[in-house]
Amino acid sequence: MRRLCLLLIALVAAATSPLRAGDRLDVVASFSILGDFVRQVGGDKVDVTTLVGANGDVHVYTPTPADAGKVAAAKLVVINGLGLEGWLPRLVQSAGSHAPIVVASTGIAPLHDGAEADPHAWQSVANARLYVANIRDALVKADPANASYFQDRAKSYLAELDGLDREVRAAIAQIPPERRQVISTHKAFGYFARDYGIAFIAPLGVSTETEPSARDLARIISQVKAAKIPAVFLENLTDDRLIERIAAETGAKVGGTLYSDSLTGEKGAAPTYIAMVRHNIKALTSALDHP
Ligand code: ZN
């Protein structure tokens, strides 16, 4: 009996063993933007694996068997929440993972599109600061020995995000108010629109799952003409043809690509969250600030 007890204790200890000095904390993030936040705070004390990689679409992702292995090995799983990762609960269950799941959007005030929560809260830099604070607290809890390391890194990254928020506001201020309206592919910029005062109209909803009907498209085309919307934008995760058709039928110019739900690889235009926001404000201002 005593031997059995010791064996059980050993098994439990193995399953929840604390990190040894020098070990990196294995963290899985559901998509690339969260992966970047974890890297910014976790530095070289974490090994970050991103499930939906560069230019991937987190709305319609199908997990692979390799993803189950990554989740099974993780000590911490970081997700957005707000209904973004509908595929995640089944993956966590099939991986048999008991790692804590951190919902990075905890504490933000969600916007809604009809009855559906809008998951794209990271497009507000103020919200991104909350994401980073949540991730910092989760890392500290998972690896208390490195608490001050995570806290210091979070502090300097949060200061960078403060600067980024000011940059966005200064850039938008250069655009004449009547030109602060654009078309993008799906409703990914609701929080950006709320915080920074640019109106976004999109043929697809807050998810990329459903195609717009011919009637939806006709409605948008007449809206673009009536409101004299100056520019339409492509996104890095959806089909370009829809936006190209709207541009062709309305005479609005294609203002380039906005990065909404996904970063690019290292050599792309948006390898980090900060680079992504900077790219987007540059694309918006160069398409909108003069006729
Ligand atoms: Zn989206």
Side-chain angles (χ1 to χ4, degrees), residues 4-286:
L4 182 64
C5 282
L6 284 175
L7 179 67
L8 281 174
I9 289 165
L11 281 173
V12 170
T16 58
S17 62
L19 288 176
R20 279 171 305 213
D23 278 0
R24 289 170 175 232
L25 186 73
D26 275 314
V27 184
V28 162
S30 58
F31 71 114
S32 52
I33 292 168
L34 296 182
D36 179 46
F37 291 153
V38 177
R39 269 184 209 103
Q40 299 297 338
V41 179
D44 58 13
K45 307 294 183 197
V46 296
D47 265 331
V48 188
T49 305
T50 293
L51 298 177
V52 183
N55 302 308
D57 185 349
V58 61
H59 295 289
V60 292
Y61 187 64
T62 306
T64 64
D67 290 337
K70 291 169 189 168
V71 170
K75 290 279 193 286
L76 193 65
V77 177
V78 181
I79 69 168
N80 183 74
L82 299 172
L84 183 66
E85 301 100 338
W87 42 268
L88 190 109
R90 195 185 291 173
L91 173 65
V92 167
Q93 197 187 19
S94 75
S97 168
H98 298 288
I101 297 176
V102 185
V103 179
S105 68
T106 300
I108 70 122
L111 294 175
H112 288 85
D113 182 45
E116 233 178 317
D118 178 349
H120 306 89
W122 62 85
Q123 286 293 350
S124 146
V125 179
N127 284 344
R129 298 182 84 260
L130 274 172
Y131 278 54
V132 169
N134 288 330
I135 289 167
R136 173 200 61 206
D137 295 348
L139 290 176
V140 165
K141 204 169 164 196
D143 183 9
N146 286 312
S148 59
Y149 177 86
F150 297 137
Q151 278 152 353
D152 288 351
R153 287 186 65 96
K155 195 175 169 194
S156 58
Y157 186 57
L158 287 169
E160 276 189 72
L161 291 179
D162 266 341
L164 182 67
D165 190 67
R166 288 192 294 273
E167 264 179 63
V168 178
R169 289 173 197 281
I172 305 295
Q174 296 171 15
I175 303 171
E178 71 281 6
R179 292 180 61 81
R180 292 178 194 167
Q181 42 179 357
V182 296
I183 302 285
S184 67
T185 313
H186 83 296
K187 289 183 184 163
F189 293 95
Y191 295 87
F192 186 94
R194 180 199 63 189
D195 283 14
Y196 305 117
I198 286 203
F200 280 81
I201 297 165
L204 302 186
V206 291
S207 178
T208 54
E209 266 165 309
T210 38
E211 295 275 306
S213 65
R215 184 188 289 179
D216 291 341
L217 205 54
R219 183 177 50 77
I220 285 196
I221 286 167
S222 53
Q223 214 173 345
V224 173
K225 288 179 180 164
K228 298 194 175 64
I229 292 176
V232 298
F233 286 88
L234 310 172
E235 285 176 25
N236 62 326
L237 70 162
T238 45
D239 195 333
D240 291 347
R241 283 174 299 183
L242 190 57
I243 289 298
E244 280 160 358
R245 189 173 150 201
I246 294 171
E249 294 201 23
T250 60
K253 69 176 159 181
V254 177
T257 299
L258 294 178
Y259 294 89
S260 56
D261 299 12
S262 182
L263 302 178
T264 61
E266 273 307 308
K267 294 196 172 117
T272 64
Y273 175 78
I274 289 180
M276 174 187 87
V277 174
R278 284 198 177 127
H279 169 91
N280 287 349
I281 54 175
K282 204 169 157 199
L284 288 168
T285 49
S286 49

